[in-house]
Amino acid sequence: MSAITKRRLIQLIGFTLVVAIGWFAISLVRTIREIPEAYAAWDTGTLLTTYMEQNDGRWPSNWDDLATVIGAGQPMLFSRSDSDGNPISNSEYIDKLRTMIKVDWSFDPVPGTTDSPVTRPDGDIFQTVWVGGEPNEMIRSYIAHHADSSELTGNNPMQPSGEVKRFEVDNQPSPPADR
């Protein structure tokens, strides 16, 4: 190998290393900057599923509804502090989430939905999420589990409350239920 070829090889290796380190550094900085958003997304998914669990599968109509599920003994919420790490009030916490997360309050939580009611404020998907912490997957999983549980127990929050189920056995209609 001549001296020029060795020199070019060393330059190529150096350039490749600079590009790889630069790409890694940019990815690391982007991820670190998106960590608060990832925690806010996880918290929002947790609050939404908790709200639905406490309200027979109904979807909240606004942030104020969502704030009703925050309390002692409620789900673990990660971003309940200010930039210095000091705890913040529930209303400050909801205000913080409101600036970081967009929720489609008209979402219809029906089984099999592929909609994504929780997004970034600009409507885009989240770039960084924690495993098991993507809010839309949390919501879809809750809806599917809730639907499965309702079918198994016969309790269906979507069924009108005045309706009486009648079952036939051996093709004999069941007698009318007393109310």
Side-chain angles (χ1 to χ4, degrees):
M1 235 186 218
S2 69
I4 295 174
T5 306
K6 287 181 184 179
R7 183 176 186 179
R8 288 205 183 258
L9 181 62
I10 291 171
Q11 287 175 340
L12 180 62
I13 291 171
F15 177 75
T16 303
L17 280 173
V18 167
V19 168
I21 291 170
W23 176 82
F24 177 77
I26 289 170
S27 296
L28 183 64
V29 168
R30 182 184 63 93
T31 300
I32 290 170
R33 290 183 65 191
E34 292 171 353
I35 286 175
E37 179 182 82
Y39 277 125
W42 188 343
D43 284 358
T44 303
T46 300
L47 290 171
L48 287 164
T49 56
T50 301
Y51 181 90
M52 289 191 299
E53 185 176 302
Q54 293 179 3
N55 292 278
D56 294 323
R58 284 178 294 152
W59 187 253
S61 58
N62 56 42
W63 286 104
D64 294 333
D65 284 353
L66 206 54
T68 64
V69 298
I70 301 172
Q74 292 303 318
M76 184 175 188
L77 303 172
F78 298 100
S79 58
R80 291 202 52 199
S81 60
D82 62 18
S83 57
D84 295 326
N86 301 315
I88 57 176
S89 70
N90 290 350
S91 62
E92 290 173 313
Y93 173 63
I94 288 294
D95 288 342
K96 178 180 177 181
L97 289 179
R98 191 182 312 227
T99 64
M100 300 176 77
I101 305 295
K102 179 180 175 185
V103 177
D104 177 3
W105 301 112
S106 65
F107 173 71
D108 186 15
V110 295
T113 186
T114 58
D115 292 348
S116 295
V118 183
T119 62
R120 299 174 78 198
D122 61 5
D124 284 344
I125 62 170
F126 299 101
Q127 299 299 313
T128 302
V129 292
W130 306 114
V131 174
E134 202 287 326
N136 297 300
E137 288 301 319
M138 295 167 74
I139 292 162
R140 288 185 209 105
S141 176
Y142 172 81
I143 292 168
H145 176 74
H146 188 70
D148 290 346
S149 297
S150 295
E151 289 173 9
L152 291 175
T153 63
N155 296 329
N156 185 350
M158 304 307 246
Q159 178 181 340
S161 60
E163 186 175 317
V164 176
K165 289 186 177 181
R166 289 184 170 75
F167 298 95
E168 291 186 18
V169 179
D170 297 323
N171 295 326
Q172 299 288 327
S174 61
D178 294 333
R179 290 191 182 202

